[in-house]
Amino acid sequence: MDSDLTVAVFGAYGHTGRFVVAQLRDRGFVPVLSGRDPAKLEKAASESGLEARPASVDDPASLDRALAGAAAVINCAGPFAATAAPVIEAALRAGIPYVDVAAEIEANVDTFTNFAERARATGAVIVPAMAFYGGLGDLLATAAMGDWTAADEAHVAYGLSGWHPTAGTRASGVVSGERRGGRRVRYANGRLEYRDDKAPTLEWPFPDPMGPRAVIGEFTMADVITIPSHLSIPDVRTYMTVEAARDLSDPDTPAPAPVDEHGRSAQTFLVDVVVRSGGAQRRAVARGRDIYAITAPLAVEAVDRILTGRTRTVGVASAGEIFDALGFLHALAPHLALELRR
């Protein structure tokens, strides 16, 4: 096995993890499957013919064995409040890059807060939230900014046809809700603000063919951590179509169901990112299918660029800071339609 092509996937048997494993194989990498449930892991290994290495976040030695000989690790196992720090520590011990797909706001704050200084000092690469939420919005905002060095505000509007959340999404949401004491959060005036009032409902002017739609304002996602981590924008707001937010809050909404040979659901998405400075406005729009499936090419493209030296910094860095945002987005062309309006 070529260690330069071996990538450990923690949480490999989960919904997103399976997409990541398939994408790694399509890109010529050799995934090593890891995770906390030996039975699920063995089943995934048997079906794929890949190596399985069970590991527990409470057992550092097992994580070291899981990452042994790997060139990088992708953490797909939530809640990331429990998994991110132990897997990052294992990656630092192994001297390999770490990428995760965390959408949990608090978990991403922890990663930047607790590992930035050490990772920078050692030249390590840690990329959190390299997923539909957090990574994609950051890349779009960075691409939209272009030659601007600062902006007054950034808006990330999610137009989802619906949202059938996975069990992992629900579990992560519970943990995040508990950590913030049931309050909602927004990013304004250059900081996170925790609030007890109800999020507003408003209309967002999505581009055609979707057009104006009712959205939940300040439906805050990981973009409020990734974007201001490197862009000088004091106000970052995210929005979600009302129907998708309703699906997420309904405990009876079923998990996503595959409808094609790749295992993708029928869900479609439009991500509309607007940055404003003074009276000027710039926009980046991405369209695609299945928010969980699109996370796989995002994470795998990140690993490929890290391992081939196509990065701009070291330490803990979001997608827009460490990668050439526009080049990265164009590389996703088979999976994503991109439009820039500057």
Side-chain angles (χ1 to χ4, degrees), residues 15-16 133 160-174 219 221 240 243-257 265 267 290-292:
H15 187 81
T16 301
Y133 295 116
L160 272 57
S161 62
W163 189 352
H164 289 237
T166 65
T169 294
R170 293 195 183 279
S172 294
V174 169
F219 190 96
M221 304 303 290
M240 180 64 65
E243 296 85 356
R246 189 181 299 127
D247 286 344
L248 179 64
S249 63
D250 185 351
D252 295 325
T253 302
S265 72
Q267 178 197 52
D290 195 323
I291 64 173
Y292 297 105

Side-chain angles (χ1 to χ4, degrees), residues 7-341:
V7 177
V9 181
F10 191 70
Y13 48 76
H15 187 81
T16 301
R18 293 195 295 271
F19 282 121
V20 168
V21 168
Q23 182 68 20
L24 283 167
R25 298 185 87 169
D26 287 347
R27 294 287 296 269
F29 291 98
V30 180
V32 170
L33 312 186
S34 188
R36 294 163 288 184
D37 189 316
K40 291 181 179 178
L41 193 62
E42 189 55 44
K43 182 175 184 293
S46 177
E47 292 172 350
S48 64
L50 296 169
E51 181 183 0
R53 299 179 185 176
S56 168
V57 294
D58 300 320
D59 182 358
S62 70
L63 287 171
D64 292 343
R65 290 192 293 272
L67 272 55
V73 57
I74 302 176
N75 182 6
C76 301
F80 292 89
T83 68
V87 181
I88 290 171
E89 291 285 5
L92 290 172
R93 290 193 297 272
I96 62 175
Y98 168 94
V99 171
D100 73 31
V101 299
E104 297 162 44
I105 292 170
E106 293 77 17
N108 287 309
V109 169
D110 289 346
T111 296
F112 277 99
T113 301
N114 298 330
F115 293 98
E117 185 175 340
R118 182 154 43 125
R120 191 180 306 112
T122 60
V125 172
I126 297 171
V127 184
M130 194 64 246
F132 179 77
Y133 295 116
L136 180 57
D138 183 33
L139 290 165
L140 291 168
T142 306
M145 287 279 286
D147 59 355
W148 286 359
T149 58
D152 299 323
E153 55 194 45
H155 302 267
V156 183
Y158 290 103
L160 272 57
S161 62
W163 189 352
H164 289 237
T166 65
T169 294
R170 293 195 183 279
S172 294
V174 169
V175 170
S176 284
E178 290 173 347
R179 292 190 67 180
R180 65 180 71 143
R183 296 174 295 169
R184 68 183 185 87
V185 61
R186 71 175 186 175
Y187 188 86
N189 304 308
R191 62 185 178 88
L192 291 176
E193 297 179 350
Y194 289 87
R195 303 173 61 95
D196 294 309
D197 59 336
K198 185 178 180 180
T201 300
L202 56 132
E203 187 176 86
W204 182 264
F206 287 101
D208 292 335
M210 178 171 284
R213 296 282 295 276
V215 297
I216 303 297
E218 299 176 6
F219 190 96
T220 305
M221 304 303 290
D223 313 274
V224 303
I225 306 304
T226 56
I227 291 172
S229 73
H230 69 104
L231 295 176
S232 181
I233 306 177
D235 286 277
V236 180
R237 309 293 175 95
T238 60
Y239 310 82
M240 180 64 65
T241 43
V242 167
E243 296 85 356
R246 189 181 299 127
D247 286 344
L248 179 64
S249 63
D250 185 351
D252 295 325
T253 302
V259 297
D260 68 13
E261 68 276 15
H262 303 293
R264 297 181 303 175
S265 72
Q267 178 197 52
T268 59
F269 63 79
L270 186 157
V271 185
D272 187 19
V273 176
V274 175
V275 292
R276 296 181 179 134
S277 180
Q281 172 176 295
R282 293 178 173 180
R283 195 172 205 164
V285 180
R287 297 175 174 83
R289 181 173 163 190
D290 195 323
I291 64 173
Y292 297 105
I294 194 62
T295 289
L298 281 160
V300 174
E301 179 68 19
V303 166
D304 186 73
R305 286 175 178 254
I306 293 167
L307 295 180
T308 54
R310 292 177 290 160
T311 54
R312 294 178 163 178
T313 188
V314 296
V316 180
S318 63
E321 179 180 16
I322 194 169
F323 303 119
D324 165 21
L326 192 55
F328 194 112
L329 289 166
H330 283 312
L332 298 176
H335 312 279
L336 199 70
L338 175 67
E339 179 184 356
L340 285 178
R341 300 180 184 181

